[in-house]
């Protein structure tokens, strides 16, 4: 579907703008609010202190940015304003008159929805970069099994806090926290506390315990997955909050998977699961009729045609972690397998022990592998090869498709009026992108986390002028280092600093 691109002199914008302006003008005729120009490159380099966040309850007007709405019907704007009212997107168009609003200049920025990550083991945030050369087998041994079995609740809190803050700072405003090592109810409470404290929008993926035995269900102290009922009641009784709930089980053994699927349906939460460590593992659940549109399948490697059919027939969503899958040896990311089947996948980070926590990397990796595989087929003489992915495709995967896979497409993923204001502002007056020529090209091909200037979650400003708002970084570093030291010592893991 072709989508509109609105220019400053666009007739359709002028028409809409005038109609809405007349309505707004009748309501109030006061002067425009405070103008706060975002600090430019020079100010950022001298580390100017972050300005205070706007007063709660007051509308915010992001004025004069290049706007990628990621809503295909709305299209993009070469220059427009974005109005935030009561934490939601009120309007997107040029020349919005909002006399009561606090005005923030969006000049020299791209304004777009925050990224959405559909699978990220935040609990490993304190072990970042520990295994730059790890294979999947190394990771399973040292991180998943060894470290996972010695985490204390306070370690889960510290890791979730530092990693969730990191994702926010990177421009990701919604993340599915795939949290295995839920070894006790206290681990779950602490994990949720870390997410809450960070201020991010997150799906807490309640994962299986790692208690030093591969068969957690035979452990007399095991409370998985039954404790999901308590968690749902205690923390997720309202759908009108930043945190939502999922269960994050394994598909094997089937008997334990069935328990997880049943408890999830009982409490009404989504399901997120890794599949494809061996083909056919999903088939028993499919035969039992347990699969549904509430489930996201991660990696989808070594997946049989029968399993694919179950996923497609039941409307499941896909999460691909392209960088991890290639660098750790999972498999070739199944982007083309998805596209051949008419599925638009979402993207995910997976583990920060080996890869970075940002979505810029994931978009570029996804784009490059799909295109290279198509080019290979062309070079081999194949005719009528599938289409090359575009930069806009992967930008959609990292926003709107992520929101869909996280079950939050009504809340985030596009700048559609009525959705929550999960918005990022990316600087275009930086040496890695100037002079600014093309918004999608800049975001996907050249920008990185250094361009993330301002971040809103549900209209609340969590990053401004390139700095996190209200975060005591020294404290976060202190508790993260303390937790890391404890985990490494108890797990007898001795990584080298250099
Ligand atoms: Zn994973």
């Amino acid at each position: 579907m072709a989508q509109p691109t609105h220019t400053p002199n666009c007739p359709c914008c002028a028409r809409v703008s005038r109609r809405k302006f007349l309505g707004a003008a009748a309501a109030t005729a006061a002067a425009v609010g405070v103008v706060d120009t975002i600090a430019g490159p020079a100010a950022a380099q001298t580390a100017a202190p972050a300005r205070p966040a706007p007063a709660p309850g007051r509308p915010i007007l992001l004025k004069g940015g290049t706007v990628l709405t990621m809503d295909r019907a709305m299209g993009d704007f070469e220059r427009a304003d974005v109005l935030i009212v009561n934490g939601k997107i009120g309007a997107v168009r040029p020349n919005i008159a909002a006399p009561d609003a606090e005005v923030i200049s969006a000049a020299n920025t791209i304004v777009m929805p925050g990224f959405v990550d559909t699978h990220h083991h935040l609990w490993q945030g304190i072990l970042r970069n520990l295994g730059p050369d790890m294979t999947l087998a190394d990771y399973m041994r040292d991180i998943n099994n060894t470290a996972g079995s010695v985490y204390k609740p306070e370690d889960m809190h510290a890791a979730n806090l530092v990693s969730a803050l990191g994702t926010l700072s990177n421009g990701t405003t919604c993340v599915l926290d795939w949290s295995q090592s839920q070894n006790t109810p206290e681990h779950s409470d602490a994990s949720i506390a870390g997410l809450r404290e960070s201020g991010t929008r997150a799906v807490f993926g309640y994962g299986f315990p790692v208690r030093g035995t591969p068969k957690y269900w035979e452990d007399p102290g095991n409370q998985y997955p039954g404790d999901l009922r308590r968690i749902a009641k205690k923390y997720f009784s309202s759908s009108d909050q930043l945190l939502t709930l999922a269960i994050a089980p394994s598909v094997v053994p089937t008997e334990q998977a069935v328990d997880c699927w049943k408890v999830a349906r009982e409490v009404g939460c989504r399901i997120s699961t890794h599949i494809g460590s061996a083909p056919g593992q999903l088939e028993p659940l499919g035969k039992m009729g347990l699969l549904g549109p509430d489930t996201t399948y991660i990696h989808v490697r070594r997946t049989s045609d029968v399993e694919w059919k179950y996923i497609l027939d039941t409307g499941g969503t896909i999460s691909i972690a392209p960088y991890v899958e290639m660098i750790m040896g999972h498999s070739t990311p199944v982007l083309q397998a998805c596209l051949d089947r008419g599925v638009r996948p979402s993207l995910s980070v997976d583990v920060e022990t080996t890869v970075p926590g940002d979505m810029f990397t994931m978009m570029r990796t996804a784009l490059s592998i799909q295109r290279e595989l198509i080019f290979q087929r062309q070079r081999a003489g194949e005719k009528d090869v599938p289409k090359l992915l575009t930069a806009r495709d992967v930008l959609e995967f990292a926003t709107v498709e992520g929101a869909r896979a996280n079950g939050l497409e009504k809340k985030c993923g596009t700048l559609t009026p009525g959705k929550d204001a999960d918005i990022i502002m990316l600087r275009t007056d930086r040496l890695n992108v100037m002079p600014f020529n093309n918004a999608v090209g800049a975001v996907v091909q050249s920008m990185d986390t250094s361009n993330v200037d301002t971040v809103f979650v549900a209209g609340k400003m969590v990053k401004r002028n390139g700095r996190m708002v209200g975060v005591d970084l020294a404290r976060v570093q202190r508790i993260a280092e303390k937790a890391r030291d404890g985990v490494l010592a108890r797990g007898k893991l001795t990584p080298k600093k250099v």
Side-chain angles (χ1 to χ4, degrees):
M1 169 183 165
Q3 59 185 50
T5 300
H6 306 272
T7 61
N9 299 318
C10 189
C12 86
C13 290
R15 205 165 52 243
V16 172
S17 178
R18 181 169 154 71
R19 188 174 65 239
K20 298 272 174 83
F21 173 75
L22 290 173
T28 171
V32 169
V34 178
V35 175
D36 175 13
T37 304
I38 290 180
Q45 282 160 21
T46 55
R51 296 198 176 96
R58 189 175 176 197
I60 300 167
L61 186 63
L62 310 180
K63 191 89 187 149
T66 299
V67 181
L68 297 175
T69 69
M70 303 314 294
D71 178 326
R72 290 189 182 186
M74 292 175 72
D76 305 322
F77 296 81
E78 282 187 19
R79 194 166 70 239
D81 306 339
V82 177
L83 181 64
I84 302 170
V85 182
N86 294 326
K88 295 187 184 299
I89 295 163
V92 181
R93 63 175 185 275
N95 305 315
I96 295 175
D100 299 330
E102 173 167 350
V103 177
I104 294 175
S105 171
N108 294 315
T109 73
I110 293 167
V111 183
M112 61 169 281
F115 297 117
V116 183
D117 177 351
T118 54
H119 149 236
H120 192 147
H121 303 269
L122 295 182
W123 67 274
Q124 296 165 13
I126 54 172
L127 306 179
R128 280 171 171 160
N129 315 126
L130 207 80
D133 306 314
M134 276 184 177
T135 64
L136 178 57
D138 300 332
Y139 161 84
M140 290 306 293
R141 183 191 62 231
D142 291 346
I143 306 297
N144 190 78
N145 297 342
T146 301
S149 66
V150 298
Y151 264 62
K152 293 180 175 178
E154 57 266 36
D155 305 325
M156 301 300 280
H157 168 263
N160 266 18
L161 177 60
V162 72
S163 204
L165 287 172
T167 59
L168 280 175
S169 184
N170 292 343
T172 299
T173 50
C174 177
V175 57
L176 187 139
D177 171 27
W178 216 102
S179 196
Q180 72 268 47
S181 300
Q182 294 301 312
N183 296 344
T184 67
E186 291 73 32
H187 284 70
S188 305
D189 294 339
S191 302
I192 293 164
L195 294 176
R196 270 189 170 172
E197 193 178 330
S198 76
T200 193
R201 184 185 303 281
V203 184
F204 172 62
Y206 175 60
F208 46 82
V210 182
R211 292 163 56 111
T213 161
K215 296 182 179 177
Y216 67 79
W217 52 92
E218 291 179 354
D219 182 334
N222 174 57
Q223 300 195 48
Y224 189 84
D227 194 45
L228 186 70
R229 298 183 183 91
R230 177 192 70 87
I231 293 168
K233 202 167 160 195
K234 184 167 182 184
Y235 299 107
F236 299 93
S237 54
S238 166
S239 59
D240 187 22
Q241 59 182 31
L242 290 179
L243 297 192
T244 50
L245 182 61
I247 192 167
S250 171
V251 291
V252 287
T254 300
E255 191 182 334
Q256 277 64 45
V258 169
D259 278 351
C260 294
W261 255 255
K262 285 185 173 166
V263 179
R265 299 281 162 58
E266 185 188 318
V267 307
C269 74
R270 286 188 63 82
I271 301 161
S272 176
T273 189
H274 299 71
I275 65 164
S277 55
Q281 292 176 334
L282 193 62
E283 290 181 21
L285 300 178
K287 278 195 194 102
M288 284 183 250
L290 282 173
L291 306 182
D294 56 359
T295 303
T296 299
Y297 304 90
I298 301 162
H299 300 316
V300 196
R301 60 201 179 108
R302 291 199 280 275
T303 298
S304 69
D305 288 341
V306 175
E307 289 171 295
W308 265 113
K309 185 164 170 23
Y310 280 129
I311 294 169
L312 297 173
D313 288 350
T314 57
T317 46
I318 306 287
S319 174
I320 297 176
Y323 193 27
V324 152
E325 290 167 16
M326 291 199 287
I327 204 168
M328 294 177 72
H330 295 58
S331 61
T332 306
V334 296
L335 287 149
Q336 194 55 50
C338 289
L339 298 168
D340 288 344
R341 293 166 171 83
V343 174
R344 308 276 289 171
S346 65
L347 300 178
S348 56
V349 163
D350 204 345
V351 295
E352 285 189 76
T353 46
T354 300
V355 307
D358 70 273
M359 297 301 280
F360 297 98
T361 304
M362 305 314 144
M363 289 192 291
R364 283 201 266 280
T365 313
L367 189 56
S368 58
I369 184 64
Q370 192 271 352
R371 291 174 70 100
E372 165 56 12
L373 291 173
I374 297 301
F375 288 134
Q376 279 184 14
R377 289 167 67 174
Q378 280 178 345
R379 288 194 293 267
E382 188 176 332
K383 304 286 179 222
D384 301 322
V385 293
K387 283 199 307 192
L388 295 168
L389 268 186
T390 65
R392 183 178 291 275
D393 284 327
V394 293
L395 197 57
E396 287 186 354
F397 297 169
T399 52
V400 61
E401 295 304 335
R404 203 186 317 282
N406 281 354
L408 291 165
E409 67 272 29
K410 289 187 179 149
K411 292 256 187 191
C412 61
T414 64
L415 299 187
T416 310
K419 285 193 181 184
D420 284 4
D422 290 8
I423 298 172
I424 56 176
M425 298 169 71
L426 306 171
R427 296 217 67 88
T428 56
D429 54 354
R430 291 289 189 263
L431 284 170
N432 60 350
V433 284
M434 70 169 66
F436 170 53
N437 293 317
N438 177 275
V440 173
V443 176
V444 175
Q445 302 291 28
S446 289
M447 285 188 168
D448 55 41
T449 59
S450 70
N451 296 90
V452 181
D453 183 281
T454 299
V455 178
F456 293 92
V457 178
K460 184 166 184 238
M461 188 178 267
V462 297
K463 187 176 186 183
R464 190 172 205 182
N465 299 342
R467 302 185 66 180
M468 297 299 287
V469 175
V471 175
D472 181 346
L473 277 183
R475 172 183 163 265
V476 173
Q477 184 174 356
R478 198 166 55 244
I479 65 171
E481 287 176 350
K482 184 170 176 230
R484 175 206 59 199
D485 290 347
V487 166
L488 293 182
R490 291 193 300 279
K492 299 186 173 51
L493 294 162
T494 51
K496 290 179 184 161
K497 275 263 182 185
V498 290

